[in-house]
Amino acid sequence: MADIVVKGGRVIDATGERMADVAIEGNNIVAVGEGLTALRVLDAGGCVVAPGFVDIHTHLREPGTEDAETIESGSRAAVLGGYTAVVAMPNTTPPIDDASVVRDVLALGRDALCDVHTSAAITVGRAGDRLAPMAEMAELGVHLFTDDGDGVQDPGVMRNALEYAAGLGVTLAQHCEVDSLSLDGQMNEGEWSSRLGMPGIPAEAEELMVMRDIALARMTGARVHFQHLSTAGSVAMVRAARQAGVPVSAEATTHHFTLTEAEVAGYDPVFKVNPPLRTVADVGGVKLGLADGSIDAIATDHAPHTADAKNLPFDQAPPGMLGLETAFALAVTELDLSIAEIIALLSWRPAAIAGIATEHGAPIAPGSPANVTIFDPVTTWTVDPRELASLSRNTPYAGRTLTGRVRHTIVAGEAVVIDGDAQR
Ligand code: DOR
């Protein structure tokens, strides 16, 4: 007898869609079909049963800033958002730039509610000068390397890192930002920054590094993954590069396809983020990139900050927004895409970038690992920051009514979310 049967849902995965029950035993899916039974039944009436979502860009804040988030609290937010795996970012304190910190993060992740993977820094201390011991960290299973929070400024360092990464079979992910152009910018540079009297971050601060790294990917043959693309120009360059066969991939965050620079007009630091919210045309460019495949994946850039930190004046507050618990519903609400296309952007495509596609995002079929998300695609709900599982409250979507809600999340055969409630 199976342990769990997910009953009466519409299964959607990379192979297509069909009405079917899904039976799970131990860590795996054991049967998909009609009239299945098990010890425990999870109702999926009116719901979609999909491969679990994968967030390739999550700030879990541990080690170092555990009052903003911990690996445990972040993983609870993740499973409530339908994620069965996350990839932690390395801008912790200390940074994740050597094997000992990687080991610590992975050890803490073992008790988490979802599968916790970690990225690691490209350079020592994320300082951009010397390459981090990537081989040792790759041996521990790290697949994505990034100095996220900062871009690698020196093209020679980036070239060396790409050659090193290609030899190791890992992927470099770039936070594209030329520091000498962004300086102390607080928001997008343009009409709004002039009107509000705030120093701006021009689109070119991102686009020049995208352009440079496309050239370096072409030169070295090594893959570059572009993180949180925010401008229509960046998306257009990535599209052209892909068409020319350059090995690049890209992600976009939910906030970059749902919010514009105009939100900053009230000087509320909850709308401060890096890269900054951009123009209406940029939002259109990002949406187009998601629709035509130029952008592979939706990522959250979930960036928790304590109320004390975020309640500072705009220019002193840290950049970043929560994302894990709202990303799926924002995609359903704001994107003109089918549910199957949205699942692809949240599940198997990011899983492939993270190098975990056999564990997450696999078709719902006997033998696949039971990492499954069950969601109601039509129900509506209103975002209440007090109800979030994250330790932080810095969501820019407070009070917004969204369509689509995660109902159950199953990680390695364990129902960690049932009827919208985390089970531990
Ligand atoms: O807004 C951001 N917040 N952008 C980043 O690149 C870093 C992140 C953070 O760590 O808070």
Side-chain angles (χ1 to χ4, degrees):
M1 183 77 128
D3 301 321
I4 297 176
V5 64
V6 179
K7 222 164 176 49
R10 180 158 54 106
V11 173
I12 302 182
D13 61 17
T15 69
E17 58 180 278
R18 60 245 171 241
M19 295 300 296
D21 300 341
V22 179
I24 292 163
E25 207 175 301
N27 293 339
N28 292 319
I29 294 170
V30 290
V32 180
E34 295 293 304
L36 303 180
T37 53
L39 299 172
R40 178 184 220 171
V41 176
L42 293 183
D43 175 46
C47 290
V48 170
V49 182
F53 304 154
V54 174
D55 187 26
I56 51 177
H57 197 136
T58 316
H59 295 275
L60 290 174
R61 302 298 189 220
E62 198 171 1
T65 322
E66 289 84 353
D67 50 345
E69 199 77 286
T70 62
I71 290 173
E72 193 203 343
S73 66
S75 76
R76 189 169 295 111
V79 294
L80 286 164
Y83 292 94
T84 55
V86 297
V87 181
M89 289 295 111
N91 60 337
T92 49
T93 315
I96 305 172
D97 69 350
D98 75 23
S100 67
V101 191
V102 169
R103 266 192 218 101
D104 289 348
V105 169
L106 294 179
L108 287 165
R110 254 166 239 136
D111 296 327
L113 284 82
C114 67
D115 216 355
V116 174
H117 295 263
T118 189
S119 64
I122 297 171
T123 66
V124 175
R126 299 174 42 255
D129 307 319
R130 285 181 298 127
L131 295 188
M134 285 164 48
E136 282 171 34
M137 298 193 278
E139 246 172 57
L140 297 173
V142 175
H143 186 74
L144 288 179
F145 287 82
T146 173
D147 278 359
D148 183 58
D150 294 290
V152 177
Q153 301 297 307
D154 185 316
V157 171
M158 189 62 187
R159 175 192 182 174
N160 290 342
L162 281 167
E163 283 167 352
Y164 192 14
L168 295 171
V170 297
T171 300
L172 296 195
Q174 186 76 286
H175 165 122
C176 288
E177 178 177 1
V178 175
D179 290 346
S180 62
L181 288 175
S182 59
L183 295 172
D184 66 340
Q186 301 292 322
M187 64 177 298
N188 183 48
E189 180 174 310
E191 216 177 290
W192 278 97
S193 64
S194 308
R195 209 179 295 169
L196 297 172
M198 281 215 239
I201 301 173
E204 288 76 4
E206 174 173 305
E207 290 167 358
L208 280 183
M209 196 171 281
V210 171
M211 192 183 287
R212 181 201 78 180
D213 284 0
I214 288 170
L216 291 175
R218 186 191 299 116
M219 176 193 196
T220 60
R223 174 168 299 277
V224 176
H225 173 71
F226 292 110
Q227 297 177 296
H228 47 47
L229 290 185
S230 70
T231 83
S234 295
V235 178
M237 285 189 281
V238 168
R239 179 179 297 116
R242 301 180 86 117
Q243 281 164 0
V246 182
V248 292
S249 59
E251 69 188 37
T253 71
T254 28
H255 43 274
H256 288 119
F257 65 76
T258 57
L259 301 170
T260 71
E261 56 180 350
E263 302 283 358
V264 179
Y267 296 96
D268 183 343
V270 82
F271 295 107
K272 180 170 174 178
V273 67
N274 195 18
L277 302 176
R278 301 281 190 187
T279 66
V280 173
D282 290 318
V283 167
V286 170
K287 283 185 170 175
L288 183 62
L290 288 164
D292 74 5
S294 303
I295 298 173
D296 303 79
I298 294 170
T300 67
D301 199 357
H302 179 80
H305 291 290
T306 62
D308 282 352
K310 262 302 199 188
N311 287 343
L312 292 168
F314 200 94
D315 61 337
Q316 292 162 40
M321 304 173 161
L322 300 184
L324 287 168
E325 293 172 76
T326 48
F328 158 72
L330 284 161
V332 173
T333 308
E334 300 273 344
L335 295 175
D336 197 13
L337 297 176
S338 70
I339 291 292
E341 289 168 316
I342 287 170
I343 300 170
L345 289 162
L346 287 166
S347 179
W348 52 89
R349 294 218 197 110
I353 291 165
I356 56 173
T358 52
E359 289 294 310
H360 298 269
I364 303 280
S368 288
N371 294 312
V372 181
T373 296
I374 297 105
F375 60 81
D376 181 330
V378 295
T379 198
T380 59
W381 59 290
T382 301
V383 181
D384 180 349
R386 290 166 308 186
E387 286 176 6
L388 299 176
S390 171
L391 292 185
S392 293
R393 295 284 166 266
N394 55 308
T395 173
Y397 303 107
R400 266 229 209 177
T401 297
L402 304 176
T403 301
R405 187 132 214 205
V406 173
R407 186 160 172 206
H408 318 298
T409 306
I410 300 171
V411 177
E414 180 189 353
V416 287
V417 174
I418 299 178
D419 283 322
D421 287 326
Q423 300 298 295
R424 56 185 175 95

